Amino acid sequence: MDSIRVEGGHPLKGEIAISGAKNACLTLMPAALLSDEPLTLTNAPRLSDIRTMTELLGSLGCEVASLQGGKVLAIGAEKISNHTAHYDIVRKMRASILVLGPMLARDGHAVVSLPGGCAIGARPVDLHLKGLEALGAEMDLRDGYVHARAEGGLKGGLVDFPLVSVGATENVLMAATLAKGQTVIRNAAREPEIVDLADCLRAMGAKISGDGTSEITVDGVDRLHGATHPVIIDRIELGTYMLAPAIAGGEVDLIGGRRDLVEAFSAKLEDAGVEVSETPRGLKVSRKNGRIKPVSVTTEPHPGFPTDLQAQMMALLTLADGTSVLEETIFENRFMHAPELTRMGASIDVHGGTATVTGVERLKGAQVMATDLRASVSLILAGLAAEGETTVGRVYHLDRGYERVEEKLGACGAKIERIREGADD
Ligand code: UD1
């Protein structure tokens, strides 16, 4: 299994182009199931999670053409020939559950294995199922599979989520586009990826308003048509690379970066003493002299501080001049990077959903192990600042969500390389 070796202590200078958003692409691809005409996605990221979704859609009878080296995906779902999403594929990636709503809306039935995915807590799918039930679907859980039916098609209804879920909002939003009548989604997620999905669905002929707020209204239509849609930039990749010069020192231009997508995060970065400025091509982030200032962070649904940047932010705060407190409110068990950062000399105390980080003057390179996607990249960031060499093992998690990380950082002067190993551990 591949690992990544980083030699720390080199300030960064250069530019990094931000890719299309993994999480947006993973919901835009299943949206193709809603129409018998092709959906073309441009600015797609080249990631293993996208290949997993390609494989899943292929298993349902879609034709997925990967063009321009994977940057363009043309997805044809003229007919859904198989309505079962099997465990073998679904277990690799939790976002597989997003095929449920579209298949149910188009053909009135779907069977989807309960998902696996990152090991960051229980992560149930009850809200997806309850939301679709509110549109008239009947759900039956058997042998680890969700069997969903909607005889005569889905009907618009009121979906009032007890807690904010990105995936459940996406599943219901997609399903509601083809339901009869009007659907109102209350306590909807407001993430930019939801707005991107709504933009794509509107381009396909859907009638949606209120996306980006906590109440979305969908007026069902009889059919959707084909469209071409550019995937929004990846705000989590953006935030991650904003942290690279913040932790290693230097100045990096993030091409395509948009501050409005990372406002809460940028504000915390500035509180920590990092400079963030808007440029005609994106964002510029620099850190000159002096220690990072401690800041406290609580993860929240958008527009709050994203849980997907918590691990990376923690890597920065290990070097702050004082004590920072990070509270994780979205997922349980999402501090698995803390013991690994501790192996690099960080001082972190975890109690339940709270991590208290007492800054140290320097980190020391070590052999560490990546345990989930964002944890892996936080260890790479820490490695950029650490004295000596850091080797991050098991980087298959990283490849799920970061395109060519070693090339992007290497182009800014980071000493980073991938060590390819054939043997699986
Ligand atoms: C998406 C993102 C993920 C991000 C997360 C929160 C994708 C592919 N993944 O995940 O990177 O970390 O949003 O921003 O877009 N919950 C339930 N029942 C459900 C669904 C969720 O209890 O049916 C809980 C979860 O366990 C979690 C919280 O709701 O505690 C939020 O999860 P959710 O927003 O659904 O995350 P995902 O859509 O899985």
Side-chain angles (χ1 to χ4, degrees), residues 43 148 155 163 235 257 295 300 323 366 382 390 403:
N43 198 36
K155 295 185 183 61
L163 60 97
R235 66 196 162 93
V295 291
E300 285 168 343
T323 301
T390 297
E403 185 177 320

Side-chain angles (χ1 to χ4, degrees), residues 239-255:
T240 302
Y241 288 130
M242 287 169 77
L243 279 164
I247 198 163
E251 182 173 281
V252 171
D253 280 297
L254 291 318
I255 309 304

Side-chain angles (χ1 to χ4, degrees), residues 22-24 26 94-95 98 120 122-129 163-168 170 191 235 307-308 329-332 334 374:
K22 167 182 89 77
N23 287 352
L26 288 177
R94 181 184 157 77
L98 294 170
I120 54 172
R123 302 188 82 175
V125 292
D126 55 315
L127 299 174
H128 298 245
L129 307 188
L163 60 97
V164 180
S165 162
V166 177
E170 291 167 343
E191 268 65 5
R235 66 196 162 93
T307 174
D308 285 351
T329 71
I330 309 291
F331 293 114
E332 60 205 75
R334 205 178 195 183
R374 308 302 170 186

Side-chain angles (χ1 to χ4, degrees), residues 231-401:
V231 180
I232 192 173
I233 64 128
D234 195 320
R235 66 196 162 93
I236 305 302
E237 190 198 29
L238 170 63
T240 302
Y241 288 130
M242 287 169 77
L243 279 164
I247 198 163
E251 182 173 281
V252 171
D253 280 297
L254 291 318
I255 309 304
R258 281 172 47 188
R259 182 166 175 133
D260 63 312
L261 298 179
V262 285
E263 187 51 54
F265 167 76
S266 298
K268 289 291 179 189
L269 215 49
E270 286 170 335
D271 290 348
V274 178
E275 280 175 39
V276 179
S277 55
E278 293 181 280
T279 70
R281 297 171 72 208
L283 290 179
K284 184 190 285 295
V285 174
S286 59
R287 182 160 80 82
K288 307 268 153 54
N289 301 314
R291 299 255 319 255
I292 287 293
K293 297 193 200 92
V295 291
S296 289
V297 169
T298 302
T299 61
E300 285 168 343
H302 192 78
F305 191 100
T307 174
D308 285 351
L309 285 171
Q310 176 261 110
Q312 301 90 312
M313 190 72 181
M314 187 188 285
L316 176 73
L317 295 174
T318 61
L319 291 164
D321 188 11
T323 301
S324 309
V325 177
L326 291 109
E327 265 190 82
E328 174 57 59
T329 71
I330 309 291
F331 293 114
E332 60 205 75
N333 201 15
R334 205 178 195 183
F335 285 135
M336 289 178 298
H337 40 285
E340 300 299 299
L341 289 169
T342 303
R343 299 190 64 237
M344 299 175 72
S347 169
I348 306 167
D349 198 13
V350 174
H351 280 289
T354 305
T356 306
V357 182
T358 308
V360 293
E361 270 192 53
R362 61 185 64 83
L363 295 174
K364 294 216 167 67
Q367 263 195 324
V368 284
M369 192 74 94
T371 44
D372 70 53
L373 169 53
R374 308 302 170 186
S376 355
V377 86
S378 79
L379 299 173
I380 290 179
L381 289 174
L384 293 175
E387 258 174 21
E389 212 171 79
T390 297
T391 308
V392 183
R394 275 202 199 165
V395 292
Y396 63 91
H397 287 295
L398 190 78
D399 296 330
R400 291 184 48 203

